[in-house]
Amino acid sequence: MNDRSKSLDEVTISGVGYAIPERIVTNHELETILDTTDQWIVERTGIRERRFVHPGMALSDLAIPAARQAIEHAGIDPRQIGLVICATSTPDMAMPATAILIAHAIGADRAAAFDLEAACTGFAYGMVVAQQFLMSGTYSHALVVGGDVLSKFINWKDRSTAVLFGDGAGAAVLSRVTGDRGFLAVRLGADGAGSELISIPIGSRYPPSAEKELHTIHMRGREVYKWAIDMVPRIISEVLALAKIAPADLDHVILHQANLRIIDAVSKRLGIAQERMVINIDRMANTSAGTIPVALAEIVKQGRVKVGDRICMAGFGAGLTWAAVLLRWTCAKPFPQQQCQNKSLVSTALAETSY
Ligand code: UT7
């Protein structure tokens, strides 16, 4: 249905939400099962702790409460949502798509729904896809969820990746509005030449019966690190140039939380003050598609984002994929004060995580 006649011609974020597991796993806990130290992890990555779901939980157990919170923040009826996108590499099942489970649970009965796989860049990709559907007039509201439960795909024999990841999901409602421009510039990219640098090989080439290690995360971290500190400043510069905005005019920069040293390097290279770089990797670790929407919802919840603030988000990761989204914040609504954790499912999980 195309209802361009309403002359709604801009797209903005009208609500955000997030959900994280209650179970906290500290570096010190990992010291007891891996040949690693808190000092190595903190110095090389900035991570102090991460959150893991209960073994019986799946992505939708985080994605659904995150989505509900974003809808409450946006103040819309879920039936107004025309499109649900779930960006993830760790869906509940190979099929059907987790987005369809989310749409059903939240009561977005009429929505089209699909999963989008762009690894750690997935949420930024999802926002751009949703933005295009809204700009074309196809829908008035879209829900984009980004999240992963990588705790289930960790190779506990590989200390170089095992310490890096956590679980979490965030969500945003995107809405078509009149004149209150939210999206200022976007950029997406991918390069399959780097497809072997980060992977979870299981799939049709390596089916579930294949060797157990192929079910887990593989990463050539140092090569990814070098690529990221070159690529991320470039894509941010590109969206800033498109919108004719200087780095110093950004109020918040939300990078994919893969390594604090990458965030510091980008801030130095672009001359962006450190206090404008949003950081939660110390508490959340790398939640892949979850890092950007969780960080966004956290700073909104903390009251750090004012109407008119300029926010730049940049994702990068497996594929290789990358994306930058430059936004102007237009949402004046208060953040819902409800608890984000899905308590009934999470509280029984304490001490049950198996490594
Ligand atoms: O989310 C998708 C995008 N991902 C990224 O952007 C990740 C980018 N890469 C990185 O963040 C970093 O490369 C890592 C954090 C993954 C690794 O840091 P690094 O400084 O590049 O370390 P490295 O892999 O070069 O390893 C340095 C040393 C090695 O020992 P030797 O060979 O120098 O004796 C490793 O065996 O650190 C050792 N090491 C560890 N030591 C203690 C690796 N992992 C650990 C560990 N604890 N957990």
Side-chain angles (χ1 to χ4, degrees):
M1 180 187 61
N2 188 316
D3 55 355
R4 261 312 211 182
S5 57
K6 286 183 188 162
S7 71
L8 302 171
D9 52 7
E10 298 292 352
V11 178
T12 197
I13 291 184
S14 53
V16 290
Y18 71 108
I20 49 175
E22 196 174 62
R23 163 95 163 103
I24 295 172
V25 178
T26 64
N27 291 347
H28 294 294
E29 192 171 338
L30 295 188
E31 282 177 342
T32 66
I33 55 156
L34 283 170
D35 179 16
T36 192
T37 60
D38 174 60
Q39 186 184 357
W40 189 95
I41 303 171
V42 172
E43 285 178 7
R44 297 292 181 123
T45 71
I47 297 165
R48 293 181 184 277
E49 59 190 38
R50 71 284 296 137
R51 287 159 182 268
F52 285 175
V53 294
H54 178 277
M57 287 175 70
L59 174 66
S60 64
D61 295 320
L62 299 176
I64 291 165
R68 286 196 174 120
Q69 193 173 50
I71 292 164
E72 190 185 338
H73 187 206
I76 61 166
D77 185 318
R79 286 170 298 184
Q80 293 175 270
I81 294 172
L83 174 67
V84 176
I85 297 175
C86 179
T88 187
S89 309
T90 55
D92 283 26
M93 296 175 268
M95 67 176 186
T98 303
I100 296 167
L101 310 182
I102 298 168
H104 176 65
I106 62 175
D109 298 331
R110 296 178 214 148
F114 60 86
D115 286 358
L116 185 155
E117 150 63 303
C120 306
T121 319
F123 180 74
Y125 258 69
M127 284 211 297
V128 176
V129 172
Q131 180 217 13
Q132 299 299 312
F133 272 106
L134 296 173
M135 275 172 57
S136 70
T138 310
Y139 304 116
S140 299
H141 301 278
L143 173 75
V144 182
V145 181
D148 275 296
V149 284
L150 282 167
S151 65
K152 306 231 174 184
F153 296 87
I154 288 172
N155 178 356
W156 290 107
K157 293 187 192 127
D158 177 12
R159 67 176 181 175
S160 70
T161 55
V163 300
L164 302 176
F165 298 97
D167 303 334
V173 173
L174 273 58
S175 302
R176 198 149 49 94
V177 289
T178 314
D180 208 5
R181 189 171 195 190
F183 282 71
L184 304 179
V186 299
R187 252 309 189 244
L188 301 181
D191 178 7
S195 61
E196 289 179 2
L197 293 181
I198 317 174
S199 63
I200 299 175
I202 188 175
S204 57
R205 185 163 304 284
Y206 303 107
S209 55
E211 199 189 320
K212 202 95 171 51
E213 269 194 12
L214 297 173
H215 297 215
T216 61
I217 302 160
H218 296 245
M219 182 167 71
R220 304 209 312 248
R222 185 150 283 204
E223 289 166 68
V224 177
Y225 182 93
K226 284 188 189 147
W227 166 77
I229 57 172
D230 176 57
M231 171 56 80
V232 177
R234 279 202 276 141
I235 51 167
I236 292 178
S237 300
E238 282 176 22
V239 287
L240 289 173
L242 282 172
K244 299 186 174 52
I245 287 174
D249 295 333
L250 290 173
D251 298 290
H252 313 277
V253 179
I254 308 177
L255 301 191
H256 167 49
Q257 309 278 304
N259 191 319
L260 187 57
R261 289 187 292 138
I262 295 176
I263 298 172
D264 288 344
V266 172
S267 121
K268 281 198 190 89
R269 195 165 297 185
L270 292 175
I272 299 169
Q274 267 191 333
E275 61 271 17
R276 306 213 167 170
M277 308 298 291
V278 177
I279 292 163
N280 68 7
I281 187 171
D282 53 331
R283 292 174 289 115
M284 304 287 177
N286 181 345
T287 61
S288 193
T291 62
I292 291 176
V294 169
L296 174 64
E298 274 199 329
I299 60 169
V300 171
K301 183 182 182 186
Q302 290 158 2
R304 287 162 59 186
V305 184
K306 301 183 301 302
V307 170
D309 278 2
R310 285 156 172 170
I311 305 173
C312 186
M313 305 178 199
F316 55 93
L320 297 166
T321 51
W322 58 90
V325 174
L326 184 59
L327 289 173
R328 197 177 141 269
W329 191 253
T330 64
C331 174
K333 295 183 224 75
F335 190 81
Q337 286 311 307
Q338 80 199 38
Q339 179 57 261
C340 307
Q341 289 156 349
N342 199 346
K343 279 225 159 177
S344 60
L345 284 161
V346 183
S347 57
T348 54
L350 295 177
E352 285 184 37
T353 307
S354 55
Y355 298 107

